Amino acid sequence: MINIYGRSGTSLNGKWETIIDPFDVGIGWRAIYKDARPKGKTDFVEYSFGPANTLYVPGDFNSQLPELTYFESSVWYKKTFNCPGSKDGRFFIHFGAVNYIADVYFNGKKLGHHEGGFTPFQFEVTDLIKETGNSLIVRANSARVKNGIPGSLFDWFNYGGITRDVQLIKTRQIFVEDYKIQLDPKDNSRITGYVKLDTTLAGKLISLSIPELKVNQKLVTDEKGYAGVNLKKGLKLWTPEQPKLYDIRLNVEGDTVADRIGFRNIKVEGTKILLNGKPVFLRGVNIHEEIPQRGARAWSESDAKTLIDWAKELGCNFVRLVHYPHNEYAIKYAEEKGIMVWEEVPVYQGIDFADATVKDKAEQMLKEVIKRDRNRCNVILWSIANETSPSKERDQTLIELAKEVKMLDPGRLVTAAFNNVNRQGDKMILKDSVMKYLDVIGVNEYMGWYTDWPGEPEKMQWVSDFNKPMIISEFGGESVYGNKADTVIKASAWSEDYVANIYHNQIKMFGTIPFLQGVCPWVLADFRSPYRMQSTYQKGWNRKGLLSDQGEKKKAWYIMKAYYDGLKDGSH
Ligand code: GCB
């Protein structure tokens, strides 16, 4: 079901008992899921949960214990809880995310398995739940796998464990399983969509109310449990300047779900991106789901505020949430603050496209995140990949994923980030054949850092084979907060001045690209990455942040902020 924060649920967050299983034997012969106890005088069991070993949920395991810092295997979690009161409904255990694999057991039965570290999943436990002493056991395994998404190499710290909220949700016998209530892409005064029940009974009445619009409608389900939504109303559209949201309530036979929904139109016309019919220039920043000061995965509402408020302070109207779906708090808080969002699945660099299961996994992740967030009007872009190298298998997979996204969510734009722009002298040419299937092209370029400037920044020529908008989805360089260049300006000094110079040059170039409709510096804040082993400056951190790992503002922050403050939507 979607929007669990719009329902009343019981949080299962808090301390969970844990067993660390480095060799991952608990799923095999050691059978930790059985939670066995010695039965007789001569019996013993060589594992046990207990109050001596606990971890907080939600929270990644790597940052909670020093001995787990670089741990990449299984941790077993156990939560015991009571469920007093009437049992006349249905019960579900909902996980916001478990990174990367979850195997879930409840009161001695296996509920299921989930692969993918950043999307929600749930299991029904109606027939298993008891008044007291319910036992929920989860194996969270974060081992890197070649045919995983992401694969075995990536430039971020991929915190493992039960990283998002866990909730026990109670519903009535019939409940609202899914809905889409959004602006009609073809009519700015029409709300369209559907409500879907967890039943295929026709003729069920669902009430939809939007008090501010004086909507109080009864919708009737068809034989698939769907009821259409179609309302003509004078609407205040959502914009970054006025992020208007309407309170909405759905009710079917006492099962209620509440939401706040905004209405906006997003589309592409030639090389422009139009928000509510007007060209918009995306003043963005890339964000990892990490709180640098804690060196831990971000997961809470207040973490979301920390990250999104920084973006707001920088002058952004847009964020690219890399490289995997972030938690719902982040998307919702951004929506309230008028920040448009690029969401991405971790189809990242060396992904194993030759393995046929990879496409299915990517599709599954896209389905899960689109289902979760398709009512969030600030989500304007679904990104299907970041920096993948062309091959027959890659091309086929990405083209199919792009088509699939369009089918699942026709009112939004599809994109991907590329790092293979063709260079000829000072000409930059967009050519990748997958670009043809996207609405917006993302380009990651590190001129001045990984590559030299091929020419004078203000004289570069960007050429595209496609009549489409482009976003520079990454650019930047590494520096340590406080490092000054003094006399020698060189990259290996990790100085703020060196990077400041890159930013000045990048901004000079932006003005020359006719089809540029947004930019996203890499990255909001320094972030942990096992890739980054330079012992004086990096120390396990990618230092391309506009902010340091303590949230201090580097020179590049001020350059970007001045650039954004000087921009008016639609021009750059
Ligand atoms: C990239 C990747 C990003 C890296 C960044 C870097 O192109 O998309 O994940 O962290 O470059 O710092 O090299």
Side-chain angles (χ1 to χ4, degrees), residues 295-537:
R297 180 69 81 214
W299 62 269
S300 65
E301 202 168 358
S302 83
D303 288 347
K305 283 187 181 162
T306 302
L307 297 171
I308 300 296
D309 284 348
W310 270 332
K312 198 78 194 156
E313 191 185 341
L314 185 64
C316 294
N317 59 6
F318 174 65
V319 290
R320 175 173 175 231
L321 300 181
V322 289
H323 279 302
Y324 36 77
H326 288 210
N327 64 71
E328 284 184 68
Y329 295 120
I331 317 288
K332 285 191 174 171
Y333 187 68
E335 188 177 45
E336 268 175 42
K337 292 286 159 187
I339 301 269
M340 293 174 274
V341 168
W342 159 320
E343 285 208 70
E344 184 159 303
V345 287
V347 176
Y348 180 91
Q349 291 180 3
I351 210 99
D352 188 5
F353 287 110
D355 184 314
T357 63
V358 164
K359 186 182 147 254
D360 297 342
K361 291 178 191 177
E363 225 170 68
Q364 182 64 21
M365 288 177 194
L366 279 163
K367 271 188 192 148
E368 286 171 351
V369 66
I370 290 174
K371 181 168 179 182
R372 190 191 75 174
D373 288 342
R374 73 172 125 219
N375 289 302
R376 303 281 66 87
C377 69
N378 62 329
V379 177
I380 57 167
L381 283 160
W382 297 121
S383 168
I384 55 171
N386 178 74
E387 298 190 347
T388 52
S389 319
S391 70
K392 204 174 107 234
E393 290 90 356
R394 185 229 46 176
D395 296 0
Q396 245 170 27
T397 306
L398 294 192
I399 291 166
E400 279 174 40
L401 291 179
K403 288 184 180 164
E404 172 95 15
V405 170
K406 273 294 180 199
M407 216 176 64
L408 288 169
D409 197 15
R412 280 190 183 80
L413 310 175
V414 188
T415 191
F418 297 84
N419 62 340
N420 54 348
V421 173
N422 216 279
R423 284 178 177 215
Q424 284 173 19
D426 57 6
K427 255 200 191 142
M428 304 291 288
I429 309 168
L430 306 192
K431 266 190 176 312
D432 194 306
S433 59
V434 171
M435 292 174 177
K436 186 174 147 206
Y437 298 87
L438 307 173
D439 298 308
V440 175
I441 299 165
V443 168
N444 300 348
E445 51 85 7
Y446 282 90
M447 280 182 261
W449 185 253
Y450 292 126
T451 56
D452 280 340
W453 286 92
E456 296 280 310
E458 55 275 66
K459 296 204 183 110
M460 305 263 306
Q461 296 175 61
W462 282 75
V463 185
S464 173
D465 280 4
F466 314 95
N467 182 33
K468 291 175 190 279
M470 177 180 87
I471 298 174
I472 293 204
S473 35
E474 289 180 30
F475 66 96
E478 290 207 29
S479 68
V480 171
Y481 173 72
N483 260 12
K484 299 212 170 31
D486 292 331
T487 48
V488 197
I489 296 224
K490 55 180 185 185
S492 61
W494 264 263
S495 80
E496 285 196 52
D497 306 78
Y498 191 87
V499 173
N501 197 35
I502 294 176
Y503 274 75
H504 283 306
N505 284 332
Q506 289 281 352
I507 289 170
K508 282 186 205 160
M509 182 184 68
F510 297 157
T512 70
I513 311 174
F515 44 87
L516 185 68
Q517 303 306 346
V519 297
C520 278
W522 186 262
V523 53
L524 177 68
D526 288 357
F527 62 94
R528 289 176 72 186
S529 169
Y531 261 5
R532 306 295 171 173
M533 295 167 277
Q534 206 282 344
S535 59
T536 315
Y537 301 118

Side-chain angles (χ1 to χ4, degrees), residues 238-292:
W238 183 97
T239 64
E241 298 72 33
Q242 287 190 313
K244 172 72 192 155
L245 299 174
Y246 291 90
D247 283 322
I248 286 193
R249 206 176 174 81
L250 293 163
N251 183 328
V252 58
E253 300 183 0
D255 180 77
T256 61
V257 51
D259 208 340
R260 280 163 64 68
I261 291 187
F263 302 104
R264 61 91 191 96
N265 181 284
I266 189 82
K267 66 178 181 204
V268 154
E269 234 173 59
T271 61
K272 298 271 182 228
I273 299 174
L274 304 181
L275 176 69
N276 301 329
K278 292 193 205 115
V280 63
F281 187 81
L282 304 175
R283 307 186 304 268
V285 70
N286 284 287
I287 303 184
H288 262 297
E289 194 182 46
E290 180 183 75
I291 297 295

Side-chain angles (χ1 to χ4, degrees), residues 61-76:
F61 52 60
N62 303 93
S63 67
Q64 294 193 50
L65 287 175
E67 61 266 39
L68 290 180
T69 303
Y70 293 108
F71 187 77
E72 293 183 295
S73 186
S74 286
V75 170
W76 290 82

Side-chain angles (χ1 to χ4, degrees), residues 19-59:
I19 295 172
I20 299 168
D21 180 9
F23 292 167
D24 199 24
V25 291
I27 189 89
W29 60 274
R30 194 58 106 191
I32 288 179
Y33 50 87
K34 288 191 176 155
D35 195 9
R37 314 286 155 89
K39 289 192 195 81
K41 224 171 145 190
T42 58
D43 195 17
F44 56 86
V45 180
E46 292 195 73
Y47 66 84
S48 67
F49 288 101
N53 296 314
T54 59
L55 290 170
Y56 278 98
V57 170

